[in-house]
Amino acid sequence: MDETKIILSEKEMPEAWYNILPDLPKPLDPPLHPATKQPVGPQDLAPIFPMELIKQEVSMERWIEIPEEVREIYKLYRPTPLFRARRLEKALDTPAKIYYKYEGWSPPGSHKPNTAIAQAYYNKKEGVKRLATETGAGQWGSALAFACKLLGLECTVYMVKASYHQKPYRRVLMETWGARVIPSPSDLTNSGRKILEGDPECPGSLGIAISEAVEDAATHEDTKYSLGSVLNHVLLHQTIIGLEAKKQLEKVGDYPDVIFGCIGGGSSFGGISLPFVKDKLEGKNIRLVAVEPTACPTLTKGVYAYDFGDTAQMAPIIKMYTLGHTFVPAPIHAGGLRYHGDAPIICSLYNQGIVEAEAYYQNPVFEAALLFAQVEGIVPAPESAHGLKGAIEEAKRCKESGEKKTILLNLTGHGYFDLSAYDNYLSKKLEDYEYPATKIEEALTHLPII
Ligand SMILES: *Cc1c(COP(=O)(O)O)cnc(C)c1O
């Protein structure tokens, strides 16, 4: 009855990922080739992705088996625990029940290895020798470095320059797992050199780093590109989070009224929410709330339009909520939430009113993170703390109304590599950036004309 951690045995770990594509009320608009603006086919993606992932991107199979070798590696940290946040509930004096799924339990400290391991596995199976990728705050780079090392692949990581300097320990972590880490924009690629000519001090962005990594993969035979979020197959691999959480809640006879999670590109939010979206489409009464930073308010302030996935216009054009591919957000500490777009699956669901979104400034988000650390112990990643802020606000509303809601939070990672951000918060040096209305307006004038 009074359990704090709800644990699944390794035997209870899901054996298949949930693919929402066949269950979507509206099919997704197809991704378009950046040059021809025609729908991309498998042959367009083949230079940068292995065939199995290209297939998963458009698969209409509802359940996709998790390969044995991937499951074996997952067992290093999965199933992850589901916690009941009793002390947080008490601190908030709320009648709501708050559960959090803790993905910081993985060796790299976030949910990201769930897809990194799967992607490295399929690449290796198809004879690829090296993966190139980008990283913002460093979580994706460290997850892919970890996965590549375990599966025997080389790994090159283009790291957003602002984070490279703000978060040196993540670079060390990536190098510990054998990866080569390059600050982006760099002078190693055409797209990097072009940016540096225009702005030698450019702090970088995920969009720029993506361009560099895609160029690296496209120009090397033995190398493919790996993306840590946004794409359908990434959300697919992350559904293990929601599938486990559902089983764990069943064990204590519970079901969420509302789910909160942060959103950067949408993979962890998709991961926890899509198995529940299925229930919602079948008639369940459940709310799904994505929480983003005010400094990069993709869902709450962006437009739903076709836009380039990256700054250099090399990646496919996708239909999504976007702030414009030229938008460079303020260097907030939640580096993983600085992408200009969001996953097409989540954008489509948001556009249809099936998922909701909220945005918060970073100081109130850190205030929530500090409260959480002081009552629950775990120091949340700045990204995760956005979802936490949403959940805390909901719990406070429950206090007002007396409602005994069940809240499920995706605590996507720990913040032990983000202590400089906590230092800034504690010494009152953390800035709340204004909602960048004019910058967004300007960036939206550069959308491709379809
Ligand atoms: C990368 C990251 C995010 C944001 O990415 P999504 O694709 O939106 O999940 C959130 N939390 C943590 C801890 C991350 O590392």
Side-chain angles (χ1 to χ4, degrees):
M1 270 309 267
D2 292 340
E3 266 172 323
T4 297
K5 290 188 302 306
I6 302 141
I7 305 282
L8 296 178
S9 72
E10 288 176 6
K11 275 202 215 77
E12 293 170 294
M13 189 167 76
E15 296 188 353
W17 294 299
Y18 168 59
N19 176 22
I20 195 160
L21 293 184
D23 294 327
L24 284 179
K26 264 198 217 165
L28 296 178
D29 294 297
L32 307 179
H33 192 282
T36 64
K37 297 185 180 156
Q38 295 303 308
V40 290
Q43 71 287 354
D44 297 314
L45 298 173
I48 57 171
F49 294 119
M51 204 38 77
E52 193 55 38
L53 293 178
I54 294 172
K55 280 192 203 148
Q56 288 183 359
E57 196 58 21
V58 292
S59 170
M60 281 292 157
E61 300 272 328
R62 184 168 289 117
W63 297 98
I64 295 180
E65 196 191 319
I66 306 175
E68 182 63 32
E69 196 176 347
V70 172
R71 281 215 304 270
E72 280 306 314
I73 299 178
Y74 275 176
K75 284 183 193 167
L76 289 174
Y77 65 96
R78 302 211 74 86
T80 59
L82 179 78
F83 286 83
R84 170 89 185 265
R86 294 183 191 279
R87 290 163 196 271
L88 179 62
E89 291 167 16
K90 205 165 164 203
L92 296 171
D93 189 24
T94 177
K97 285 189 270 185
I98 306 173
Y99 293 93
Y100 60 97
K101 180 71 168 156
Y102 185 42
E103 291 293 310
W105 190 242
S106 78
S110 78
H111 64 286
K112 290 194 170 79
N114 298 335
T115 186
I117 294 161
Q119 292 189 39
Y121 167 81
Y122 291 116
N123 274 285
K124 183 189 162 179
K125 226 176 124 200
E126 295 181 28
V128 173
K129 298 280 181 271
R130 180 171 70 100
L131 289 179
T133 196
E134 76 290 337
T135 197
Q139 287 105 327
W140 170 241
S142 43
L144 195 69
F146 164 72
C148 282
K149 186 45 76 186
L150 289 182
L151 283 147
L153 297 176
E154 286 174 55
C155 183
T156 305
V157 182
Y158 293 85
M159 184 173 192
V160 175
K161 205 172 273 177
S163 307
Y164 185 91
H165 295 299
Q166 267 177 12
K167 304 184 176 184
Y169 295 124
R170 291 221 195 258
R171 171 178 59 75
V172 179
L173 188 62
M174 289 183 258
E175 289 171 349
T176 300
W177 281 317
R180 179 177 178 211
V181 186
I182 297 159
S184 164
S186 78
D187 58 7
L188 299 181
T189 64
N190 286 328
S191 31
R193 283 189 289 269
K194 215 164 127 192
I195 299 278
L196 288 174
E197 273 166 31
D199 177 10
E201 301 302 312
C202 178
S205 70
L206 269 185
I208 295 168
I210 291 172
S211 308
E212 292 205 276
V214 169
E215 187 182 324
D216 185 339
T219 53
H220 294 91
E221 189 64 33
D222 64 348
T223 303
K224 297 252 188 252
Y225 168 68
S226 184
L227 190 61
S229 188
V230 179
L231 297 179
N232 300 344
H233 68 260
V234 180
L235 274 65
L236 169 77
H237 302 152
Q238 294 295 355
T239 57
I240 192 162
I241 304 172
L243 294 168
E244 282 182 7
K246 202 186 257 190
K247 277 194 183 181
Q248 287 162 311
L249 285 171
E250 266 167 28
K251 282 204 162 183
V252 289
D254 228 329
Y255 188 88
D257 294 297
V258 53
I259 297 179
F260 285 89
C262 60
I263 185 159
S267 73
S268 57
F269 184 72
I272 195 148
S273 66
L274 295 180
F276 293 93
V277 167
K278 181 174 194 288
D279 297 351
K280 182 166 176 138
L281 295 172
E282 288 164 1
K284 269 269 189 203
N285 186 12
I286 177 171
R287 292 175 52 220
L288 311 144
V289 187
V291 186
E292 57 189 16
T294 311
C296 192
T298 314
L299 290 178
T300 52
K301 301 285 185 187
V303 297
Y304 193 40
Y306 269 109
D307 193 11
F308 293 102
D310 68 325
T311 312
Q313 311 183 359
M314 291 180 66
I317 303 176
I318 49 182
K319 179 81 173 279
M320 59 183 174
Y321 279 84
T322 178
L323 301 171
H325 62 280
T326 54
F327 177 71
V328 179
I332 50 164
H333 283 282
L337 307 186
R338 293 176 74 243
Y339 184 57
H340 67 272
D342 270 321
I345 289 176
I346 303 300
C347 291
S348 171
L349 293 170
Y350 179 68
N351 186 249
Q352 293 170 71
I354 296 164
V355 308
E356 305 165 38
E358 296 175 352
Y360 293 100
Y361 286 106
Q362 62 176 350
N363 272 299
V365 164
F366 272 89
E367 188 188 346
L370 214 73
L371 169 65
F372 188 86
Q374 292 181 355
V375 294
E376 293 291 324
I378 294 167
V379 178
E383 290 84 359
S384 320
H386 285 74
L388 170 64
K389 173 67 179 167
I392 287 180
E393 288 306 306
E394 182 74 21
K396 285 182 183 164
R397 282 191 292 272
C398 286
K399 185 183 176 182
E400 296 291 308
S401 66
E403 283 174 291
K404 294 192 171 100
K405 285 190 186 166
T406 298
I407 298 171
L408 172 60
L409 164 68
N410 196 12
L411 201 74
T412 53
H414 67 63
Y416 300 118
F417 286 98
D418 304 282
L419 292 179
S420 66
Y422 278 86
D423 190 24
N424 281 338
Y425 174 72
L426 290 170
S427 54
K428 304 204 177 353
K429 278 190 268 181
L430 207 62
E431 268 182 71
D432 273 338
Y433 296 98
E434 272 315 304
Y435 154 57
T438 50
K439 272 176 76 185
I440 292 172
E441 224 169 87
E442 200 280 328
L444 289 176
T445 64
H446 302 294
L447 294 186
I449 295 155
I450 303 300

